[in-house]
Structure formats: C-alpha cells, structure tokens
Amino acid sequence: MRLLRSALLGSLLMVGAAVYAATPAFTPAVEAFGLGDVELLDSPFKQAMERNAEYLLSLDPDRLLHNTRKYAGLQPKGELYGGWESRGIAGHTLGHYLTALSQQYAATRDSRFKERIDYIIAEMAESQRAYGDGYVGALPPTELATLRGLKQGKVAVKDPFTFQDGAWVPWYTQHKVLAGLRDAWVLGESEQAKQVTLALANWVDDVTAGLTPEQQQTMLQVEHGGMREVLFDLYALTRDERYLKTAQRFEHRAILDPLLEGRDELPGKHANTQIPKVIGAARGYEVANQSEGRPIAENFWRTVVRNHSWAIGGNSDAEFFFAPETASEHLSAATAETCNTYNMLRLTERLFGWQPQVEYADFEERALYNHILASQEPKQGMFTYFMSLKPGHFKTYSTPHDSFWCCVGSGMENHTKYGAAIYFHATDALYVNLFIPSVLHWQERGLELRQQTRYPDENRTTLTVTKAPNSPLSLRVRVPAWASGEATLILTGKPVQANTRPGSYATVHRQWQSGDVLEVTIPMSVRTELLRGTTDQFAFVYGPVVLAGDLGPAPSGPTVPYTNEQTANLKADSVPVPTLARDPQQLAASLRRVPGGELAFKLTTHQPRKEITLRPFHELDYQRYTVYWTTVPTGQAE
Ligand SMILES: [Zn+2]
C-alpha cells in the first residue's frame, strides 16, 4: 500500500477501504486511514475477521475461475461451484473475492492472500488474452452477447433485472469483476492487475461509446451495480479522460433527479440497485467537480437512514423500499438484505469524509454491530442474505460451496474491513468514531494510539498514547446521540473539561505525551425505538446494540441454519411472540441486567406471562427471536 500510495499521483483520499486520488477542487474535511494503519485487538470484530479469513482461504481460486476460463475458450482447472455461480449471474463472486483478498492483505500483510491475488490475476490476464477484445469475466454467453451488442446499438429492456434477450444484470456482475481488479491493483499491489483493469475498462468504453443518451438511459433501467463509481475511481487513479466519459454513460437520471430535488420516490424501487448509483454520484462530486452529487448523496442518505431503515440499520422488505408508514406490514422474513447495508456503510464513510457529523458515525455503529456483525454465522463464517425481522422467526445462512449469493460476495468483503471506520483524521485532529479494541498507527503524525475496551458490555473505553506526535493534536471522541447523559473524560487520572453532550464530539487538544491515558465513559441505558407508522410496536436498544428477545432454538431441518437457497425459510412458521403491557419507556426502565459480565436483560412479558432474556441481536445466531414487540394498551394491563 505504502509503495503504491507514493507512486499514485496527486493527494490521496482514503475512505473506507479504498484509495483514490482527489482532485484539487475537492478537499475532504476528514480522511480515513488505510486498513494497514489499524490493527484490531481481540473483540467480536476481530474474531469475525479471522473466521472470514479462514473461509476465504478455504475457497479454491480455480473453481471460482471456472467460467472465466471456460467462456474464454480455455480448459477450466477446477469444478464449477454451485448456487449463483452456476447461474446467469456467475462470476460476481470472483470480483468480490478479489476485493476481500485485497482488503485482507492490506489489513494484515499476510502473504497467503497476496499469493492468491497474484495467481488469480495471472489467470485472468491469460483469459483476457484469450477473449481477444479486452473483455475478461465470467459472464455466460447470453449476458456477454448483450453487452457486446451494445456496440451495435442493441438496447432492449424487459424488466429492471433483465434485458429483452434474457440477460440477467450483466453490468451488475461485470462491475464486481472490475471493482475486484481495481482493488487487486491498488490494495493488492498487483501491477498486472492494473493492466487487466484498464484493458477491461477500455472494453467498457468501447462497447458503450456509440450509445445515444436515450439508449444509455434505457440500458440503465437494468440493475448495473457500481459501474459509474468504479469508472470514476479509474479516472481518479489515471486522470485519463476516457474513464470520466465512460463513467458519465452510467448516470441514471430517473433515480438521481428526484433525489436532487429532495423527493422520496424510493418506495417500490429495488433498494440495492439504487444505493450504488448514489455512491457513483458521490464519486462524481469528489473526482469530477459534479456538484449535484453532494445533495443527491446527502438527500438519499437522510431519507434512507431516517425513514427507510429498521432498528438494526438495514432496510427493505423482499429487497424493495416501501412507504415508511407501512413498516409494520413489512416485518417479514425477507427484511434487510445484507448487501444494502454493505453499500449504505460505503456511502456513509464518504459522507463522513465530507462533513464529520456524529449522525453519520452513529449510523455506522448501528449498522456495523446490528447488521454486519450479526450477519456472520459463528461456526463456519457463513452469511445471511435477508436478516429476518419477522417476530418469532430466525436467521438463515449460506452454505460454503452452493450459495454464492450477492450477500455472500459482499459479505466476504464486510469482515475484512472492520478497521476502516474506527478512526478518521484531519490535519490536526484525530476522530475516534467507534469503540472497537484496536491500535492505530498514524504514520504521518507519528502517533500510536491503543484503544482497549469491552464496549458495549461495559460503557467505557480507554485510549492510551503509546507514541506521541511532535506537535499538539486534537483528539475528538464521539459522544453518541443515544448516550443517556454527558460523557466523562478522565485524562491520566484528572477530569477533563470538554463539551461532552450526546450527539457531539468531546475534544481534547494538547501536546500529547507517551503514556497519556484518556478514559471515556459513555452513559448507556435501555431505550425504545418505535417502529415507524405505529404507536404500539417498538424495539429495545441498549447503547449501540439492538436487544432481541431469545425465543428458544431455531427449528431443526435441512435448511436451518444453512441453505443453498436464500428464500428457503421465508415461509417457515414463526412462533407466537408474547405481548407486552405498560408504557414501553417504563418497561425499558424496569429491565434487569443479568448479573455477571454478559450483556443480557430479563424481560417479563404480558400475555402469556413469561420471563424472556434479551440479548444483543448479533449474538442470536441459532435462535428464534424478536426484535420488535407489540404492546397492548396500558389500561388492559393487570
Ligand atoms: Zn445481497
């Protein structure tokens, strides 16, 4: 990473896990650190990362390359995997896999991941030569013919996911390949990946160059992933105008225009199709002076986070946005596709870079603990597709070799980058956004900071300066908006005077010394969050974590907990969930924390009367649960 960073032109802006050159016109307010600058210490996040790394290493690159070689006319070296890898969307996994390997390598410098990157890239380069026109990927013949046919102006759309000839989301799939190559180049430090990436991007330019603006808009009616974003990235990396022009052909006005005007036309639209278009607009603002990208991204983010999101930070039902006030009709087993949150977090990290507000960081935390961490199955590191919020239902996970859903692909990436959003920096300020045990190495400022905590099992974190910078620096610690009181800061035994109100940054500016210890305490209590559009349905939340009621073991069966089909358990019975009496806030105040270190509470229900344990949602892996509860009017309580 460091070698490549100095080799890239211009100032570099790192947001999340990716590296991009910033234009002189755009200066971020704060920047993320590289994955290699943040080392995770033991926590559920590090454990998830290690589990995921094992899964990445258990996969066979030759099997993931099967279709790439086959459709290039070369002999495959491994058997085709099952699930989506055997269907028209085949090949997306290889792209996600390259990104995941590259992020894991950037974070850990573990050579096993670098070897895989280099092997896959060499295989892809060979396939690219065999394809002959710059294309490389694993699109089946129908999908590839559709994209090649664009060159002859053939654009006919059947529905939001298919072209008239039956091609299933070919740009969506191809975007993953192009993004994986970009990451193998930039994060995986592969010079050969750079060549393969740019040759493929040239091919994208070639097949789309002749489309009229009307034909472009028709093409964009079919889901196309982050094509615009990745092409802007390539423009930022190379300053070659060709990629800028190609990026512009993926500007989907039907979605962007209402967002620019601040109108919520999202209900009824496929959620994960739209989020990457907004990230593309955000990148246009950053790298191509397209000012409209900023209000588009900010309006979208506010609308989705404030009006369309569940308590766990996810959104959608059966993959679609719906009218916010109808949320209670959508508490189904198909809520909260995991890819959506993967993409919302990528957007959130960009917006935080523009304007470091607590609200962005609060959402990052909410979605990270309650959806992303909750999406991994702890025995084999498998992945959720939907995150069922149907009361009395349970989680369903992928299988190692026969699922390969979109959410398996984005899921592989999720657990490689927990270090991405803990800290951010401006020239003279360090933002501590997440309370995840870690060591930060801020090379440019000569600061090394160690964060130790059992948060949120305990309500404090300790920041120790183990290497001090030469000049004064502000440490800005997030005080979440949900905090139940002002935070307390103790610096090496002495109270610090600072604004510690919930929803602000507590700032300590000083010449730091090695050995300085800042102890931060954030008051936490159980609170309730009403389900939008209702007055009697709500979730319990403690600090950053959503508490779910443990309703006993999930049913045993051939599709629980693992299944090849993401829809396998959607119609499975749920168990009845007891109602609650009394005012929810009174109930929250009456919960008793279980003695000992674990984070669990006892809840007494109304009908039937029972004692139920509430636990962090991310810990309920194999149980039936409920996140949302229904109260009966207080007058009916005994
Ligand atoms: Zn997905």
Side-chain angles (χ1 to χ4, degrees):
M1 164 84 71
R2 229 143 259 128
L3 276 177
L4 233 112
R5 284 179 74 179
S6 55
L8 291 170
L9 50 93
S11 74
L12 283 162
L13 165 62
M14 307 197 55
V15 171
V19 180
Y20 313 110
T23 58
F26 170 74
T27 311
V30 296
E31 298 180 38
F33 286 93
L35 287 171
D37 297 331
V38 181
E39 180 191 335
L40 295 185
L41 302 175
D42 190 43
S43 74
F45 294 100
K46 185 173 188 193
Q47 290 157 21
M49 184 174 178
E50 287 174 345
R51 231 175 259 133
N52 188 63
E54 275 177 45
Y55 177 60
L56 293 178
L57 291 172
S58 77
L59 293 174
D60 180 350
D62 283 328
R63 295 189 68 179
L64 289 172
L65 282 157
H66 179 101
N67 279 344
T68 303
R69 288 185 65 90
K70 178 179 152 187
Y71 295 130
L74 302 169
Q75 185 64 37
K77 295 177 178 174
E79 195 188 328
L80 187 62
Y81 278 124
W84 288 21
E85 279 301 291
S86 296
R87 300 181 196 167
I89 200 168
H92 73 111
T93 308
L94 185 66
H96 285 296
Y97 188 60
L98 270 176
T99 295
L101 292 175
S102 302
Q103 291 179 167
Q104 186 73 19
Y105 175 62
T108 63
R109 311 299 290 181
D110 184 333
S111 61
R112 291 174 300 173
F113 297 93
K114 173 68 172 155
E115 284 160 20
R116 284 184 177 232
I117 295 165
D118 289 345
Y119 177 76
I120 291 168
I121 295 299
E123 289 288 303
M124 291 180 80
E126 189 191 353
S127 300
Q128 194 172 40
R129 283 191 296 275
Y131 275 112
D133 61 354
Y135 174 77
V136 64
L139 289 177
T142 302
E143 278 70 17
L144 183 53
T146 299
L147 296 192
R148 283 182 169 151
L150 295 170
K151 204 172 168 176
Q152 284 83 48
K154 288 189 212 156
V155 193
V157 166
K158 186 172 155 203
D159 63 44
F161 308 101
T162 32
F163 286 90
Q164 201 66 56
D165 56 12
W168 182 18
V169 295
W171 280 131
Y172 168 91
T173 310
Q174 201 55 39
H175 158 251
K176 310 303 170 226
V177 175
L178 194 51
L181 287 167
R182 171 204 62 197
D183 294 330
W185 162 19
V186 178
L187 298 172
E189 300 174 347
S190 165
E191 193 55 32
Q192 189 173 27
K194 176 182 179 180
Q195 295 160 22
V196 178
T197 305
L198 296 181
L200 175 58
N202 293 344
W203 176 86
V204 176
D205 174 29
D206 188 47
V207 296
T208 56
L211 296 174
T212 65
E214 292 72 28
Q215 287 172 326
Q216 289 167 16
Q217 294 304 313
T218 305
M219 169 183 84
L220 297 176
Q221 290 169 18
V222 177
E223 184 178 14
H224 49 274
M227 281 302 296
R228 190 161 177 241
E229 175 197 357
V230 67
L231 288 160
F232 275 136
D233 291 345
L234 299 183
Y235 168 60
L237 286 161
T238 63
R239 286 285 148 216
D240 188 336
E241 297 272 331
R242 184 174 187 182
Y243 305 124
L244 176 62
K245 286 185 190 142
T246 312
Q248 308 296 44
R249 294 178 206 134
F250 289 88
E251 183 181 278
H252 193 199
R253 296 312 317 180
I255 297 302
L256 301 182
D257 286 339
L259 290 171
L260 182 59
E261 291 154 21
R263 280 184 283 123
D264 180 2
E265 294 188 359
L266 297 175
K269 294 202 167 66
H270 187 253
N272 198 44
T273 297
Q274 318 312 332
I275 309 167
K277 295 175 191 173
V278 176
I279 301 174
R283 289 296 287 149
Y285 166 66
E286 291 176 346
V287 308
N289 290 322
Q290 295 181 351
S291 56
E292 69 162 32
R294 182 161 183 161
I296 286 172
E298 289 174 340
N299 288 341
F300 178 83
W301 190 92
R302 275 195 296 269
T303 303
V304 172
V305 168
R306 294 180 187 171
N307 299 339
H308 288 281
S309 295
W310 304 106
I312 61 166
N315 58 61
S316 75
D317 174 24
E319 304 187 15
F320 283 72
F321 288 120
F322 50 85
E325 63 277 13
T326 64
S328 69
E329 296 162 30
H330 291 275
L331 277 179
S332 78
T335 44
E337 181 186 349
T338 308
C339 283
N340 304 7
T341 298
Y342 155 90
N343 272 320
M344 281 305 293
L345 288 176
R346 296 176 68 250
L347 178 64
T348 301
E349 287 155 23
R350 303 224 80 84
L351 297 190
F352 187 81
W354 301 348
Q355 198 175 12
Q357 290 184 339
V358 168
E359 189 182 6
Y360 293 131
D362 281 356
F363 176 74
E364 175 95 29
E365 177 182 69
R366 174 188 291 267
L368 207 63
Y369 281 82
N370 301 297
H371 197 171
I372 300 301
L373 187 61
S375 72
Q376 191 199 56
E377 181 273 335
K379 288 187 189 140
Q380 300 188 54
M382 292 297 98
F383 308 88
T384 58
Y385 185 110
F386 300 116
M387 186 64 88
S388 172
L389 292 174
K390 185 177 184 181
H393 204 254
F394 51 90
K395 296 179 188 174
T396 297
Y397 303 100
S398 58
T399 59
H401 297 159
D402 295 295
S403 297
F404 291 112
W405 315 319
C406 49
C407 299
V408 171
S410 58
M412 286 178 193
E413 298 182 27
N414 282 333
H415 309 291
T416 60
K417 56 173 181 179
Y418 284 122
I422 303 174
Y423 308 99
F424 287 80
H425 67 90
T427 315
D428 289 314
L430 176 69
Y431 286 75
V432 181
N433 269 2
L434 300 176
F435 308 119
I436 294 178
S438 53
V439 178
L440 167 70
H441 304 271
W442 188 0
Q443 312 282 341
E444 289 82 354
R445 290 303 308 267
L447 171 75
E448 198 176 278
L449 186 80
R450 190 178 183 87
Q451 179 171 191
Q452 288 163 296
T453 179
R454 288 182 57 245
Y455 177 98
D457 291 9
E458 59 179 22
N459 66 359
R460 62 181 185 274
T461 189
T462 303
L463 302 162
T464 305
V465 176
T466 49
K467 211 172 126 198
N470 294 327
S471 51
L473 186 75
S474 293
L475 205 59
R476 310 199 70 197
V477 182
R478 178 178 63 105
V479 184
W482 51 252
S484 53
E486 293 201 4
T488 312
L489 272 61
I490 309 273
L491 178 61
T492 321
K494 295 197 185 99
V496 178
Q497 294 306 313
N499 170 18
T500 54
R501 280 198 309 272
S504 66
Y505 278 96
T507 303
V508 184
H509 182 80
R510 63 187 251 114
Q511 175 62 57
W512 296 90
Q513 309 290 334
S514 182
D516 281 349
V517 180
L518 185 67
E519 288 179 72
V520 182
T521 302
I522 295 164
M524 291 183 197
S525 58
V526 180
R527 63 190 189 277
T528 56
E529 289 186 2
L530 208 55
L531 180 62
R532 185 166 293 277
T534 73
T535 53
D536 61 350
Q537 287 180 283
F538 67 93
F540 288 110
V541 188
Y542 176 77
V545 290
V546 170
L547 298 173
D550 182 345
L551 302 177
S556 55
T559 60
V560 185
Y562 311 107
T563 171
N564 297 339
E565 295 295 331
Q566 74 273 16
T567 53
N569 297 320
L570 295 185
K571 295 205 166 71
D573 289 340
S574 51
V575 293
V577 176
T579 58
L580 303 183
R582 298 201 289 177
D583 173 69
Q585 264 125 37
Q586 278 178 17
L587 263 174
S590 73
L591 294 181
R592 286 166 291 119
R593 187 162 173 178
V594 172
E598 78 173 316
L599 188 50
F601 295 84
K602 292 289 181 190
L603 167 72
T604 304
T605 60
H606 174 53
Q607 266 182 346
R609 193 175 176 86
K610 282 172 127 172
E611 190 166 73
I612 286 179
T613 305
L614 298 175
R615 299 181 194 283
F617 182 55
H618 71 78
E619 291 179 7
L620 291 174
D621 307 300
Y622 312 109
Q623 284 97 324
R624 290 184 181 275
Y625 55 79
T626 191
V627 166
Y628 287 99
W629 302 87
T630 303
T631 52
V632 294
T634 312
Q636 291 179 22
E638 66 271 71

